[in-house]
Amino acid sequence: MLILRSRRAFTLVEIMIVVAIIGLLAAIAIPNFVKARQTALQNACIANMKQIEGALAVYAIDSGLSAAPNTTSALVPNYLRVWPRCGSTAYNLPANLDARPTCPNSTAGHNLP
């Protein structure tokens, strides 16, 4: 007598094809995620520099001074909630009010437009 069995398991070839397809999709997607993360960090850094620039301008108008403050404590509670950071490094105060803030991570290439 011939007994027919129903096939309920996957073969090794089918599993290998699924793994190959997932690997191909991962190879395409991972570089795009890395690039998107770098772009997001750059945009956040530029936004932080604009915030510092705006806070300095408002500070100069409110105080009537033409020189930048010496410390960040002159800006933090009144003009900025917290002093921003690019990654883990805090921004430096510009030397004067005409100078634009710069990214503390010089290798990152984040510049105000």
Side-chain angles (χ1 to χ4, degrees):
M1 290 200 156
L2 186 63
I3 300 174
L4 296 175
R5 294 184 182 174
S6 63
R7 183 176 159 216
R8 294 188 176 191
F10 293 109
T11 65
L12 181 62
V13 173
E14 291 170 335
I15 293 172
M16 288 175 53
I17 290 172
V18 169
V19 168
I21 291 171
I22 291 171
L24 180 65
L25 292 174
I28 293 170
I30 290 174
N32 290 336
F33 288 135
V34 171
K35 184 178 178 186
R37 183 169 188 256
Q38 290 172 344
T39 302
L41 288 174
Q42 180 178 2
N43 290 339
C45 183
I46 290 171
N48 286 338
M49 289 187 286
K50 286 181 181 179
Q51 286 287 327
I52 293 171
E53 194 173 42
L56 284 170
V58 173
Y59 169 80
I61 292 169
D62 286 350
S63 65
L65 299 174
S66 59
N70 294 334
T71 63
T72 60
S73 62
L75 299 174
V76 170
N78 299 324
Y79 303 101
L80 294 169
R81 243 194 242 164
V82 293
W83 192 250
R85 298 177 170 273
C86 182
S88 62
T89 310
Y91 291 89
N92 297 324
L93 271 172
N96 55 36
L97 292 175
D98 295 333
R100 298 188 92 178
T102 58
C103 179
N105 300 324
S106 60
T107 58
H110 305 158
N111 298 317
L112 282 171

